[in-house]
Amino acid sequence: MRAEIAILGGGCAGLSLAHALATADSARAVVVVERRTQYDEDRTWCGWAIEPHAFASCVRRRWDRWRVSTAEAQHEIAAGTIAYESVGAGAFYATALASVDASPAVTLLAGAAVADVAELDACSVVTLNDGRRIEAQWVIDTLPRRRELTYPWMWQSFVGFELEAPEAGAGDVPDLMDFRVPQADGVTFLYVIPFARDRALFELTRFAPQRTPKRELERALRVELALRFPRGYRIVRREHADLPMSPADRRVAGRRIPAGIAGGAMRPATGFAFHAIQRWASRCAADLVAGRSPHAAAMHPGLLWMDRVFMSVVRDDPQHAPELYARLFARTSPDALVRFLAGAPRVSDVADVAGALPIGRFTRAAARSIVA
Ligand SMILES: Cc1cc2nc3c(=O)[nH]c(=O)nc-3n(C[C@H](O)[C@H](O)[C@H](O)COP(=O)(O)OP(=O)(O)OC[C@H]3O[C@@H](n4cnc5c(N)ncnc54)[C@H](O)[C@@H]3O)c2cc1C
């Protein structure tokens, strides 16, 4: 089989690019190789859309307030011009798959796993586990990589239940970080996304040097939920993740462009990736349609260094992390912080964020990171 573009992995990044190419009405032949045979409502993508994206019709809810809570204080923050939004995976997959299905140029090979990719002079050859081969001019590689994390990077592990219970979503303000939960190794918080008065997503999240076992997080989540809903609750959906809060190896090898989490779309210090993937997909599709080399996501080295310093402060002193995050959200202007977290800050945003953090602790960590 021949294609101009082979997209390896039809998850968030792969399908975002496939959707952008399918709806661009381009004649370029695209093949998406995806291991799964069926798509489920397996996650909810939340974040801030700092620019319009192709999946606006899949947004479940938007909020113009959010909260960060510590044992000492609750900070409710009013949005500036950028709302927090939630995109359901079910609607995202259905939209992308419909446009792929309608496009004569884009083919999805579902239930097919990539076994090998070889770089030849004139093309790349992708071999599937059933022996089929695809010769492609460009390979966009979103396949997850095995990662070992070194200091100061950490795993973000979470278990989430979307549930129904009276008043589960009362107040209608997302809790981005509620640190009023027992702290074990690392930094633990509850994340709550209210969808309706009686429906919300509750996630118990931990940042730690090692992945936290799913069972342990689930047990802790159930303890929290029993306290909040002594009369019980009904779980309607579950989520689980171990996200590497670390830079990806984004080396572009010849015609093989890494993308998605594997390409560094996730800002190491945050775990947010969905909206960065949308910005990348739109630029990458425009490049491919115009016959240019495809855009590879790139994070500014200065921001990466700031993430390294921030993560080293959190990892060295997890007890003070709640206070750090609270300061960051409470003392930075919301739009500046949102652009910063999205990896697209203005110079003044960086100054705003730096001004919110305890200068002594960060100067010492910055000095150590330069020496190292
Ligand atoms: C439960 C969960 C919740 C999340 N919530 C948020 C959030 O709220 N906000 C946010 O910004 N980010 C969130 N993320 C992080 C990130 O946005 C997602 O992980 C996102 O799906 C990453 O996109 P991706 O394309 O890199 O990887 P994926 O979407 O995982 O896509 C990779 C694809 O490759 C396929 N694949 C793997 N191996 C092979 C193979 N050998 N051959 C063929 N196909 C293969 C997989 O089946 C998968 O479909 C969340 C992640 C998870 C897991």
Side-chain angles (χ1 to χ4, degrees):
M1 181 185 273
R2 278 173 197 271
E4 282 176 75
I5 303 146
I7 301 176
L8 311 186
C12 182
L15 285 185
S16 298
L17 180 61
H19 175 75
L21 289 166
T23 51
D25 212 13
S26 138
R28 296 188 179 277
V30 181
V31 174
V32 184
V33 184
E34 167 55 42
R35 187 169 56 182
R36 54 185 137 174
T37 48
Q38 164 187 333
Y39 286 89
D40 302 313
E41 186 88 45
D42 58 358
R43 61 200 68 180
T44 299
W45 286 293
C46 290
W48 292 272
I50 59 169
E51 53 186 62
H53 60 78
F55 294 94
S57 64
C58 305
V59 171
R60 273 179 87 177
R61 285 291 316 273
R62 288 197 175 88
W63 299 270
D64 59 6
R65 309 186 80 74
W66 47 83
R67 203 162 35 215
V68 172
S69 304
T70 64
E72 289 75 34
Q74 270 198 321
H75 303 278
E76 190 166 311
I77 291 114
T81 58
I82 311 166
Y84 194 63
E85 66 178 25
S86 139
V87 174
F92 167 90
Y93 295 138
T95 302
L97 293 174
S99 59
V100 165
D101 205 33
S103 164
V106 185
T107 307
L108 171 67
L109 299 180
V114 174
D116 184 56
V117 183
E119 300 280 333
L120 306 183
D121 283 345
C123 66
S124 297
V125 178
V126 179
T127 307
L128 308 187
N129 59 348
D130 58 11
R132 281 180 292 175
R133 285 155 52 100
I134 304 165
E135 288 181 16
Q137 190 186 341
W138 291 107
V139 172
I140 310 294
D141 182 358
T142 78
L143 302 181
R145 311 274 197 281
R146 285 179 75 84
R147 284 208 209 166
E148 298 302 325
L149 302 191
T150 52
Y151 179 89
W153 310 112
M154 290 195 274
W155 289 97
Q156 177 178 151
S157 302
F158 59 83
V159 163
F161 294 163
E162 186 170 329
L163 56 84
E164 283 178 350
E167 305 298 305
D172 203 26
V173 179
D175 280 295
L176 300 188
M177 299 178 122
D178 185 343
F179 294 102
R180 295 169 302 172
V181 292
Q183 299 290 320
D185 307 331
V187 181
T188 310
F189 59 90
L190 199 61
Y191 171 79
V192 185
I193 297 296
F195 290 116
R197 193 168 186 92
D198 62 349
R199 188 163 176 143
L201 171 67
F202 285 76
E203 278 181 5
L204 196 85
T205 306
R206 182 167 302 152
F207 300 166
Q210 278 81 37
R211 294 176 182 88
T212 306
K214 186 178 171 193
R215 264 201 320 267
E216 187 180 328
L217 289 171
E218 189 166 323
R219 211 172 333 153
L221 177 59
R222 286 184 187 279
V223 169
E224 286 307 312
L225 293 175
L227 291 171
R228 288 179 183 231
F229 307 111
R231 294 178 175 200
Y233 51 87
R234 189 173 81 84
I235 299 172
V236 290
R237 199 177 60 77
R238 295 162 192 259
E239 300 194 349
H240 166 247
D242 288 308
L243 301 176
M245 300 174 79
S246 78
D249 177 3
R250 315 154 178 260
R251 266 170 301 178
V252 174
R255 302 164 185 283
R256 188 174 179 175
I257 313 293
I261 288 193
M266 194 171 78
R267 181 86 197 270
T270 70
F272 288 113
F274 179 82
H275 293 90
I277 287 173
Q278 300 317 313
R279 298 196 296 277
W280 161 81
S282 145
R283 287 185 60 185
C284 187
D287 288 339
L288 288 165
V289 169
R292 295 187 294 264
S293 300
H295 171 73
M299 189 169 153
H300 192 282
L303 287 182
L304 197 52
W305 177 74
M306 287 185 81
D307 277 14
R308 171 177 281 278
V309 172
F310 190 85
M311 294 298 280
S312 69
V313 171
V314 171
R315 184 160 161 170
D316 290 348
D317 195 2
Q319 306 91 296
H320 286 105
E323 175 211 331
L324 268 187
Y325 283 103
R327 283 175 74 133
L328 198 56
F329 277 92
R331 297 190 186 186
T332 312
S333 95
D335 280 355
L337 183 61
V338 164
R339 285 190 295 263
F340 182 80
L341 296 178
R346 301 174 183 161
V347 175
S348 59
D349 298 339
V350 178
D352 201 357
V353 168
L357 297 170
I359 185 141
R361 225 179 302 162
F362 274 81
T363 309
R364 284 192 296 279
R368 275 198 305 274
S369 93
I370 290 167
V371 172

